[in-house]
Amino acid sequence: MRFLIDTNLPKALGSWIAQRGHIAEHVLDLGMAQATDAALWETSAVIVSKDEDFADLVRRSEYGPSVLWLRTGNGTTNDLLKLLGPLWLLIEARLASGDRLVEVR
């Protein structure tokens, strides 16, 4: 899978996802830090974000990418990765099965 990490998340998350066999790019590395949500929405990647706007787009639209919505609040990168570790196989499975919105709390 290809993942696009939103600007509100650490670049290290992209590296962590890539270590699990996926393509993961951070918007900062793609020169898309100022891109609109609509521009990110047009990519063919799973959008990883804390932004509820993407969850709303999934709910309102029949097309578009899947969204991994991280509702974890503020914390360290290590805290985020520790949270995702035990959930990652389930997240992958849900995305692979066609779920367009996967929410992590």
Side-chain angles (χ1 to χ4, degrees), residues 45-74:
V46 174
I47 297 172
V48 184
S49 182
K50 286 184 158 187
D51 190 346
E52 187 173 4
D53 292 348
F54 289 112
D56 290 340
L57 282 169
V58 168
R59 291 181 191 119
R60 291 192 319 253
S61 177
E62 293 181 24
Y63 81 97
S66 295
V67 172
L68 176 54
W69 184 23
L70 303 179
R71 300 185 62 190
T72 59
N74 294 330

Side-chain angles (χ1 to χ4, degrees), residues 83-105:
L83 173 69
L84 290 176
L87 300 173
W88 190 250
L89 291 178
L90 177 61
I91 291 167
E92 286 177 321
R94 288 191 53 197
L95 292 169
S97 72
D99 281 358
R100 291 194 50 230
L101 179 61
V102 178
E103 181 178 346
V104 175
R105 291 177 176 235

